[in-house]
Amino acid sequence: MRPIWKFLEVDNYQKISDDIYDYMANYTEILKSKTPVFYNNVSPIHIVQHVPSLKKFLDDRFLPMPTAIIVVPPSVERNLHSDTVDPYVRILWPIKNCQGSLTKMFDVPRECLKLNFSQSGSTDTYYQISLEKDWPLISDIELLQPVLIDVSIAHEVHPAPDATESRISFTIGFDRDLP
């Protein structure tokens, strides 16, 4: 089986995480929402303009395309989904309250994926699992540092069991799949 995730070594990832959180607090409405939205698109241009540490990390490495902030409240139940049906690697970056939370990856057959839209009026798509059952667990990741992850594998966020605040992470897609 091909690898489906790999930790990414970034020496200053915590500073970048803190800077992204400051960006959220100062330049978005994400933290002000009474009802957290799971997937929050942010402009790659806007975020790198306001988060120089992220821009420095991305310079000469990657051309970011879709970028989003993911907010998962501690009470979330089921959120099993696949972002795409074709292999596609993104970076998943811890921002806040990630310790103890897991991203679990499951073996779900492609024929059980159904195209869906993120929010009313949104053009963002993902694949919902059309059949609810106990799918075989392939792997899980505690998001303690940035990780490269194949988002074509069905995955689900499980907040830490003792979480009282939302788990916040940042995802970066690219103009091409990463090897």
Side-chain angles (χ1 to χ4, degrees):
M1 181 178 196
R2 63 184 167 76
I4 56 175
W5 65 270
K6 176 184 177 182
F7 282 120
L8 184 62
E9 298 298 327
V10 180
D11 292 335
N12 65 334
Y13 88 85
Q14 187 59 56
K15 173 167 180 17
I16 297 170
S17 295
D18 294 343
D19 292 348
I20 293 170
Y21 188 82
D22 290 344
Y23 164 81
M24 291 172 54
N26 296 313
Y27 297 100
T28 76
E29 299 295 313
I30 295 169
L31 297 175
K32 297 171 186 147
S33 175
K34 291 180 181 176
T35 307
V37 175
F38 186 89
Y39 191 85
N40 303 271
N41 276 316
V42 292
S43 162
I45 294 167
H46 194 255
I47 196 166
V48 296
Q49 285 175 335
H50 295 285
V51 184
S53 58
L54 177 63
K55 183 180 184 318
K56 186 174 185 326
F57 167 75
L58 292 170
D59 279 349
D60 300 325
R61 287 188 180 97
F62 309 107
L63 176 61
M65 293 303 271
T67 54
I69 294 170
I70 300 167
V71 180
V72 182
S75 60
V76 74
E77 291 291 323
R78 300 281 294 178
N79 58 77
L80 183 61
H81 67 284
S82 175
D83 296 8
T84 179
V85 292
D86 297 317
Y88 183 70
V89 175
R90 286 188 182 158
I91 294 176
L92 184 60
W93 200 289
I95 301 299
K96 196 162 180 75
N97 307 317
C98 295
Q99 190 168 7
S101 72
L102 296 174
T103 300
K104 294 185 177 185
M105 306 175 86
F106 296 91
D107 186 11
V108 176
R110 195 174 184 153
E111 60 270 11
C112 293
L113 303 176
K114 177 183 158 195
L115 184 63
N116 205 345
F117 293 87
S118 294
Q119 304 164 5
S120 60
S122 174
T123 58
D124 298 320
T125 58
Y126 67 99
Y127 289 85
Q128 194 173 13
I129 312 308
S130 62
L131 179 64
E132 198 164 315
K133 70 178 240 178
D134 289 332
W135 298 105
L137 179 68
I138 298 173
S139 185
D140 57 25
I141 310 161
E142 183 178 8
L143 190 58
L144 298 177
Q145 69 185 74
V147 64
L148 295 166
I149 182 173
D150 181 350
V151 294
S152 70
I153 305 299
H155 53 283
E156 181 172 63
V157 177
H158 291 258
D162 59 348
T164 58
E165 296 182 45
S166 295
R167 180 191 106 157
I168 302 172
S169 59
F170 176 65
T171 186
I172 310 168
F174 303 95
D175 61 332
R176 59 182 161 63
D177 194 21
L178 300 176

